[in-house]
Amino acid sequence: MATAATETEEIPEIQHEEHKQPPHPEGPKQKFRADYTAPPFTVTTVHLDFILGEETTDVTAKIHFVPNYGQLAAGAPPPPLVLDGRKDIKLLSVALGGRVLGEGEYEVSDKHLTIKAPPAGEFEAVIVTQLRPQDNSLLEGLYKSSGNFCTQCEAEGFRGITYFLDRPDVMAKYTTRMEADASLYPVLLGNGNLAESGQMEGGRHYAVWVDPYPKPCYLFALVAGKLAMKEREYTTGSGRKVALRIFVQEGNLGRVDHALDSLVKSMQWDEQVYGLEYDLDLFNIVAVDDFNMGAMENKSLNIFNSRLVLASPQTATDLDYSRIEGVVGHEYFHNWTGNRVTCRDWFQLTLKEGLTVFRDQEFSADMNSRPVKRIEDVMMLRSSQFTEDAGPMAHPIRPESYIKMDNFYTVTVYEKGSEVVRLYHTLLGAEGFRKGMDLYFQRHDGHAVTCDDFRAAMADANGVDLEALGRWYSQAGTPQLHVTTSYDAASRTYRLHCKQRTPPTPGQEEKLPVLIPIKMGLLGPDGSELPLKLQGADGSVQDLGTEGVLRFDTPEATFTFLEVPAEPVPSLLRGFSAPVKMELEGQSEQHLTFLLANDADAFNRWEAGQRLWEAGQRLSRKLLLQLYAAAAAGGGAHSPQAVAERCAAAGGVPDNLVEAFRAVLTDPDLDGSFKSMAVMLPTGSELLDAIQGGDPPLLHHVRTWVVRQLAARLRPELEQLIKDNDDAPGTPYVFNAAACARRALKNRCLTMLSTLEEPGITAMLLRRFNEAANMTDEISALSALVELAGPERDQALQAFYDKFKGEPLVLLKWLGLQATSNAPGNLALVKSLVDHEAFNITNPNNCYSLFLGFGRSPVNFHAADGSGYQFMGDAVLRVDGINHQVAARMVSAFTTWRQYDTERQAMMRAQLERIVAHKGLSENVFEIASKSLK
Ligand code: TRP
Ligand code: ZN
């Protein structure tokens, strides 16, 4: 049995002409949403019995099948039963209705077990398979992590355990029996309730778990291992007592309180906001070190990547604390949105993920600062999802086809999917949205449904037509919203002329208009909000108060406001009310400065600051063009020094940008986290999205130069804020919005100052690094030091390593910082880290920190000689021999290749071609690499 199953023979050899073909290649690989048909058989109950062993694990699956093929023609036999499987599981026997089948009665291939002539009517199949979990490096199905057994079945991992109808619309009741060595695996966990357990001969023991709720097999889970546990009792609103338990490796028991607190808060929040209670007496969370993704919502047995459970002030940052809170919430919320109501097929993934991300975002907003959370989410959307939507992997939130479903757990399905759910919330209001959710559960509890079912529930509960939202599910690409304004003083009318256009995406040339809810207000000259009197098509006047939502769903429309006393400053798309790129023509720097100071909507205040930078950035873009010209004439790379000189010669950073930032920094009414985000420049990836043929290192140097100018000119304010927000020595770490805000602002100021590269500042950073009382301050100082050349860098890195040698989660930060560093020539260091004793290539977190971290370095990944690309190409192929999902995420570093200059395009393309041509490549990597080349 192969360690990492690769299904080479089924991957078509890539010919270059294939890239020109429409996205319907030959072969059975591509699955289409349009091809959905109900399964010919379904399953009512599954009894699984695991004999867990060191060499082999035997699984006996007793499956009760029920015909679903409808009425057979007289005398016609039932269709064959085709079950999904995987190359690395060994079939020991198959029996139907108590009779063991002979060789000729079934067929086994790498992917299927076909029972040729199943009996008519219901029947029971008993299938025995043999697994080698310790050799399963894919981390899908049953595998071992740190000596413990665990499972991961979403999306299609259950077929790595037994032969089954591995699709979410087959829902059954599960019973799990497992037996194992009692000393090696004292803890035995399954879904549902523990029904029975006991000792056996030979030092073994067993447990039987019964899950009363029908579920698809992707929610099945099992854990067997040596684990410590912390427990808390929770009482639901209706008085039901629930035992909450978190299982971790022995030494980590002191780091689970934050996750437990987050779980309790999640349960309370879901009761308060949605009236949803937990439905069993037991809720377990298990932390494992080897995990492909963040966490998994298996029924009553959530399995988490340990980095999303474990936290202590000394080892986790504020960001880690907030991610843990968000992900614990996310997985818990899946119990209703995902588990009780699940997806009919994997094309509907956003039904559960978009909705559950929306729910976790709202939860985090309620627990912390709402505007700050919104800004963070939009920053993420713009830097990751907009890029994906503009590239070769662009797909609608409900994709039309896939080769490997794993590749569609994307920022589009999750984050844009959440934005689409937010559209309902914006249009219907909180109350209307709740009515829709209530009807959704009333209709679909216990069923596997579609995105259309969700939209219908929302529409029917509110008696409105929401068909206009349908295109958000079928069209890829980020819609562009173009707005012009006009004011007529004589008639005191103000008009917004809106146009929309969605750019073509691969395989989708023509786009139709979508419904864009534009949440807005109008500001009078004194900054106050003006009453909104919107003229209807029939001449009627609608009074919107001071904030309204415009429904814009045609290619063009004009919205007319009456009785507007003076030309207002518009505040549009408040709270980012739709995932679009808006251009407001004639929005002057004066308007932006005014909005930054006065807008009632905190999100739009931040947005105004971002746009101000963009207005200033026109200058940088001019600079970039000059630099390209200079480089073309003189050849060679652009040193930071040369960039600085040219930027300075071109006039530097405009005064109004500096003054606007100064005003934000010194505003006593603004929240510290908000300030820290308001003075941040748009990310490199966001800017590259806007530049044709961009040169990432050059852009990085320009951006760094601008930060340095801001730091120099805002220095007194930055130094004052550091003083004001520094905690007195001995202050204990607490995780709450106020404390996080102080740390965020202080550390942002310190990071800005560090770019000045003055010996005094560097020494202060090193002192702060050495004396830091929590990981947030420690890692912030270290990241600033890592960007500087000099002895302090090496000294700090070494000290950090010595301190955290035995802490694999903290060393992920250490690996990531070094990998992402823009220090010139850093590739050599990164290469040496691959062989470092702290690095383990079979662990996904390690790969993500080191390889994906390296892919985020504009200077070293995008080095002009192609060395960064070569390194990454080699790494993708090496990791693909171990874990296909991880390798597929790594190869995504190349998918943006069309954004860059021609030399870089050629080099990145060459890497993709080399990868696609590689013998034995996984389907996961093949799909992403080949689609990028098209
Ligand atoms: N359903 C999980 C979530 O979003 C995602 C997930 C966990 C996953 N592990 C996975 C998806 C493995 C694909 C493969 O919460
Ligand atoms: Zn999820």
Side-chain angles (χ1 to χ4, degrees), residues 163-176:
Y163 291 96
F164 198 71
L165 294 168
D166 189 356
R167 44 186 292 168
D169 57 352
V170 172
M171 296 175 81
K173 287 189 185 174
Y174 284 69
T175 302
T176 309

Side-chain angles (χ1 to χ4, degrees), residues 63-111:
I63 309 168
H64 191 91
F65 287 99
V66 177
N68 194 41
Y69 40 75
Q71 204 60 45
L72 293 172
L81 173 60
V82 184
L83 303 176
D84 303 297
R86 205 167 75 190
K87 200 180 177 180
D88 61 339
I89 72 175
K90 190 165 152 191
L91 180 68
L92 295 186
S93 69
V94 48
L96 291 192
R99 188 180 66 83
V100 176
L101 298 192
E103 290 264 320
E105 296 179 274
Y106 61 90
E107 227 165 72
V108 190
S109 70
D110 282 350
K111 291 189 167 186

Side-chain angles (χ1 to χ4, degrees), residues 536-705:
D538 55 357
S540 66
V541 179
Q542 215 187 328
D543 199 334
L544 302 179
T546 57
E547 183 173 89
V549 178
L550 309 176
R551 286 176 65 114
F552 175 43
D553 60 1
T554 48
E556 280 186 50
T558 297
F559 298 93
T560 303
F561 297 91
L562 305 176
E563 296 170 49
V564 182
E567 173 147 24
V569 175
S571 165
L572 304 181
L573 214 66
R574 282 182 164 179
F576 202 62
S577 60
V580 302
K581 291 182 186 173
M582 181 176 70
E583 197 191 331
L584 176 52
E585 213 173 278
Q587 189 174 43
S588 66
E589 290 177 24
Q590 283 73 18
H591 280 183
L592 291 168
T593 318
F594 183 81
L595 289 174
L596 183 56
N598 296 300
D599 204 320
D601 185 70
F603 176 85
N604 268 8
R605 288 186 76 175
W606 170 80
E607 181 76 340
Q610 296 286 295
R611 298 268 169 152
L612 258 181
W613 147 256
E614 267 174 35
Q617 207 242 322
R618 280 196 292 274
L619 164 105
S620 310
R621 226 174 274 178
K622 208 161 68 193
L623 273 179
L624 283 170
L625 294 176
Q626 287 174 0
L627 288 164
Y628 282 129
H638 319 281
S639 71
Q641 195 52 39
V643 172
E645 279 163 23
R646 283 165 199 281
C647 290
V653 177
D655 290 344
N656 58 347
L657 183 65
V658 179
E659 292 320 313
F661 282 0
R662 197 189 313 278
V664 169
L665 285 174
T666 54
D667 186 334
D669 298 329
L670 283 179
D671 171 85
S673 290
F674 179 88
K675 287 185 187 184
S676 83
M677 288 186 295
V679 297
M680 244 170 101
L681 306 181
T683 60
S685 77
E686 200 181 323
L687 294 173
L688 278 165
D689 195 14
I691 298 171
Q692 273 297 317
D695 174 331
L698 177 58
L699 182 67
H700 171 76
H701 296 320
V702 173
R703 194 172 175 278
T704 310
W705 183 83

Side-chain angles (χ1 to χ4, degrees), residues 152 154-155 291 293 295-297 330-331 334 352-353 406 409 414 885:
Q152 171 55 41
E154 188 174 5
F291 201 73
M293 304 275 284
M296 180 63 213
E297 70 266 23
H330 180 97
E331 305 311 328
H334 267 315
K352 76 174 175 81
E353 295 303 345
D406 306 327
Y409 287 75
Y414 276 63
Q885 286 188 36

Side-chain angles (χ1 to χ4, degrees), residues 357-372:
V357 171
F358 173 75
R359 277 151 55 67
D360 85 53
Q361 289 178 346
E362 287 296 290
F363 166 64
S364 292
D366 284 343
M367 294 301 116
N368 305 288
S369 156
R370 179 164 283 274
V372 166

